[in-house]
Amino acid sequence: MTQAPTLSPSDRREPGEVFSAGFTLFADMLLVGLLTGVACLPVVTAPAAFAAASATLRRAAEDAVPVKAGTYAAQLGARLTRGSLAGGLAVPLLAVILLVDHALTRSTMPGADVVAPALVLLALGSAVVALRTTALPAPHTLSLREGLLRSVADPRGSLLLTGAVVLAALLVWSIPVLIPLLPGPLAFAATVVDMRFAGEGRAEDSPEPEAGRTRN
């Protein structure tokens, strides 16, 4: 009688877990990226899709639970509101404005050399603010004002997100087949930056021990 092989801890899977524990981080990034890419297909759902990705990754990090498609679907449904859909309309509108301005900079219009780098900075700044807005936890979920404030108050984090956006743009330009996977790393970067910023804020608000306090 043969005995069933015993799986090592790294090969075991929790109920509903898609990948084994040894590939948790890679699996979470891959699964969230694919789910977010599919959810972004209608375009206007992009803010809710990225917000759901951030909330799912945040829950996985804070509660040490695996990322599941059902969890992402629940987070997405909670964020598909009229406000998020209205904000999603700004995505194609901004893209059209940037494309029109880019076409004008390639003409012989005066000041075209100045407008071109300004458009690049505008696109990067908009992407960073948008990512920080979608990574906000409750009660600031998808608050553009709070996302802008955190972008200004945390220049180091905004610079890190700028690097992530530039890297994603280079990957889109060089390897277009990776486009469906990029939302995962971008949402992950935005979530980590926001959690770092929140952690630093709590550390600054914590009271320091009083000087000269006697020991028992």
Side-chain angles (χ1 to χ4, degrees):
M1 182 176 180
T2 60
Q3 186 177 3
T6 303
L7 295 176
S8 62
S10 60
D11 293 331
R12 295 172 185 170
R13 301 183 183 183
E14 298 294 334
E17 191 173 3
V18 180
F19 299 94
S20 60
F23 295 92
T24 299
L25 179 59
F26 174 76
D28 289 350
M29 297 275 289
L30 178 64
L31 183 58
V32 169
L34 290 174
L35 293 173
T36 307
V38 172
C40 286
L41 288 178
V43 180
V44 294
T45 57
F50 272 87
S54 178
T56 304
L57 291 171
R58 187 186 296 271
R59 180 175 180 271
E62 294 178 345
D63 300 339
V65 295
V67 170
K68 302 177 183 178
T71 303
Y72 178 86
Q75 297 286 355
L76 178 62
R79 285 158 178 79
L80 280 175
T81 62
R82 293 181 179 179
S84 67
L85 294 176
L89 292 174
V91 176
L93 180 61
L94 180 61
V96 170
I97 293 175
L98 291 176
L99 288 175
V100 171
D101 289 342
H102 175 67
L104 292 176
T105 58
R106 301 184 64 179
S107 63
T108 58
M109 292 181 58
D113 295 338
V114 178
V115 175
L119 287 177
V120 174
L121 293 177
L122 175 62
L124 287 176
S126 300
V128 169
V129 173
L131 285 174
R132 299 208 70 148
T133 300
T134 57
L136 294 173
H140 303 295
T141 304
L142 289 176
S143 171
L144 181 59
R145 179 179 179 274
E146 183 66 21
L148 182 59
L149 289 176
R150 295 197 182 192
S151 299
V152 176
D154 182 25
R156 183 182 302 177
S158 297
L159 185 61
L160 291 173
L161 282 182
T162 301
V165 172
V166 171
L167 179 59
L170 291 175
L171 289 175
V172 169
W173 174 73
S174 59
I175 316 176
V177 72
L178 294 179
I179 292 177
L181 302 179
L182 292 179
L186 287 175
F188 180 81
T191 305
V192 170
V193 166
D194 188 77
M195 293 177 69
R196 180 190 64 84
F197 175 74
E200 289 181 353
R202 285 194 296 268
E204 292 177 357
D205 293 339
S206 59
E208 298 182 357
E210 295 180 3
R213 178 178 294 178
T214 58
R215 296 181 180 179
N216 293 332

